[in-house]
Amino acid sequence: KITRPVAGADYWQKRPLRRYIINRVFNGVLIDRERKEPVDNPLQPMLEALENGDSLIIFPEGTRNLEEGLLPFKSGIYHLAKSYPQVELIPVWIANLNRVMPKGRVLPLPLLCTTSFGMPLKLEESESKVHFLERSRGALLALAPEHH
């Protein structure tokens, strides 16, 4: 009940059905990826959810990757770890994600899917953004089936 996906408001606010699903079915945390005001902190909805005791599902590539493999991570996960140092970031590999949740599909398909969980990650003191993003991406890739 307290695990919530983080999603782009621009996509999920477009149509009434999508709005209903992200708000009422998934209880999502919506992020404004097209913000006009630079003073707004795009992480604020995530920080509020964490303060509330919620767990977040984050796709750190920042978009749905239609290819196999993993795109470079966007910096949001670094800024979240820096802004909320007590957070534990747990890498989770979802096998068959593009079959279970194809891009453009609003609800997952009921197919078998395997998830692999890694050890929690924290931002090390004085760790650079580039190093943290590479380390986080490496921890996720290590869970991929082809690495086992």
Side-chain angles (χ1 to χ4, degrees):
K1 289 187 182 217
I2 63 167
T3 302
R4 304 173 65 193
V6 175
D10 50 292
Y11 176 83
W12 288 97
Q13 300 285 32
K14 258 186 199 149
R15 298 197 176 96
L17 179 60
R18 285 187 196 167
R19 274 196 300 277
Y20 177 84
I21 289 172
I22 196 64
N23 292 316
R24 300 300 182 109
V25 177
F26 292 138
N27 189 23
V29 176
L30 294 177
I31 301 299
D32 184 3
R33 296 187 291 194
E34 302 172 344
R35 65 188 193 284
K36 312 293 182 272
E37 300 294 320
V39 293
D40 293 345
N41 180 355
L43 297 179
Q44 196 56 42
M46 287 192 273
L47 295 172
E48 288 170 9
L50 290 170
E51 275 298 317
N52 196 39
D54 295 341
S55 294
L56 302 178
I57 300 169
I58 300 169
F59 291 89
E61 295 170 284
T63 186
R64 290 297 307 276
N65 180 6
L66 297 178
E67 306 299 317
E68 290 302 314
L70 197 57
L71 295 171
F73 284 6
K74 301 282 188 198
S75 60
I77 195 168
Y78 166 80
H79 293 296
L80 184 66
K82 197 163 179 65
S83 300
Y84 203 84
Q86 62 271 43
V87 75
E88 284 189 328
L89 298 164
I90 300 173
V92 179
W93 185 269
I94 305 172
N96 298 333
L97 179 64
N98 285 330
R99 285 194 10 230
V100 173
M101 189 84 187
K103 186 164 182 153
R105 193 172 167 84
V106 178
L107 290 173
L109 296 168
L111 299 173
L112 281 183
C113 182
T114 304
T115 53
S116 302
F117 294 81
M119 297 300 293
L121 300 167
K122 283 188 176 274
L123 178 64
E124 302 293 332
E125 210 172 315
S126 77
E127 185 175 18
S128 73
K129 177 171 72 172
V130 169
H131 185 266
F132 177 75
L133 293 175
E134 286 176 358
R135 185 167 65 90
S136 302
R137 187 173 179 273
L140 188 55
L141 278 172
L143 300 172
E146 56 269 17
H147 286 86
H148 292 257

